[in-house]
């Protein structure tokens, strides 16, 4: 796996988790560095899908990297489409079931635009 450092998070409230140590992950665009202190909600799953997709699980690393790539604080020069492809790439690497990763990818493609590089 291209995970360079281990992901370490801690819940800070009912929705968000804080990254406790810098998290580094090698992707097709290079190494993505999620900084210590970054706040993530893991996967933002619409309520109607929560009975089949949790906010966390095998897709958790992909979700944290994706949240960072969508963050206004991220200074990597990538498009939303590229960020979404990295999300899919990491889910494939962690063997997220095909139906689940395709569904999650399609959901971020359809609904993610309003969150890309916006304030949390």
């Amino acid at each position: 796996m291209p995970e360079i450092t281990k992901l370490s998070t801690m819940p800070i409230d009912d929705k968000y988790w804080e990254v406790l140590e810098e998290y580094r992950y090698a992707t097709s665009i290079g190494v993505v560095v999620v900084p210590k202190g970054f706040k993530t909600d893991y996967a933002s799953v619409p309520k109607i899908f929560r009975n089949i997709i949790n906010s966390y699980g095998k897709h958790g690393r992909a979700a944290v990297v994706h949240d960072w790539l969508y963050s206004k604080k991220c200074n990597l020069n990538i498009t939303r489409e590229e960020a979404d492809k990295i999300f899919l790439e990491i889910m494939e690497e962690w063997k997220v079931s095909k139906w689940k990763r395709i569904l999650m990818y399609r959901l971020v493609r359809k609904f993610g635009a309003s969150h890309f590089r916006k304030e949390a």
Side-chain angles (χ1 to χ4, degrees):
M1 300 283 170
E3 185 179 46
I4 298 168
T5 58
K6 183 178 163 105
L7 178 61
S8 178
T9 61
M10 183 173 80
I12 54 175
D13 60 27
D14 289 340
K15 182 176 180 182
Y16 290 98
W17 296 68
E18 182 174 339
V19 175
L20 298 176
E21 300 294 332
E22 183 178 89
Y23 182 57
R24 301 170 76 80
Y25 202 100
T27 72
S28 58
I29 62 146
V31 175
V32 174
V33 180
V34 180
K36 176 181 177 179
F38 178 68
K39 291 170 184 56
T40 178
D41 65 352
Y42 279 87
S44 305
V45 180
K47 286 182 182 180
I48 63 169
F49 293 107
R50 287 186 191 154
N51 61 337
I52 58 173
I53 300 174
N54 291 324
S55 292
Y56 55 87
K58 282 185 179 181
H59 56 274
R61 291 163 183 85
V64 171
V65 170
H66 189 253
D67 280 359
W68 172 246
L69 294 174
Y70 263 52
S71 169
K72 188 174 184 177
K73 295 177 183 175
C74 178
N75 60 5
L76 293 174
N77 187 22
I78 65 167
T79 65
R80 181 168 95 53
E81 182 177 7
E82 290 168 324
D84 293 348
K85 285 183 180 175
I86 290 167
F87 180 55
L88 181 61
E89 170 188 320
I90 296 172
M91 286 192 292
E92 288 172 356
E93 291 166 359
W94 285 91
K95 310 278 190 260
V96 173
S97 62
K98 186 173 183 176
W99 72 267
K100 188 179 284 189
R101 70 178 182 250
I102 296 301
L103 175 60
M104 293 178 77
Y105 174 75
R106 287 183 179 164
L107 288 170
V108 297
R109 291 304 304 147
K110 183 165 180 72
F111 299 109
S114 64
H115 301 285
F116 187 69
R117 302 287 165 96
K118 304 283 192 251
E119 289 292 329

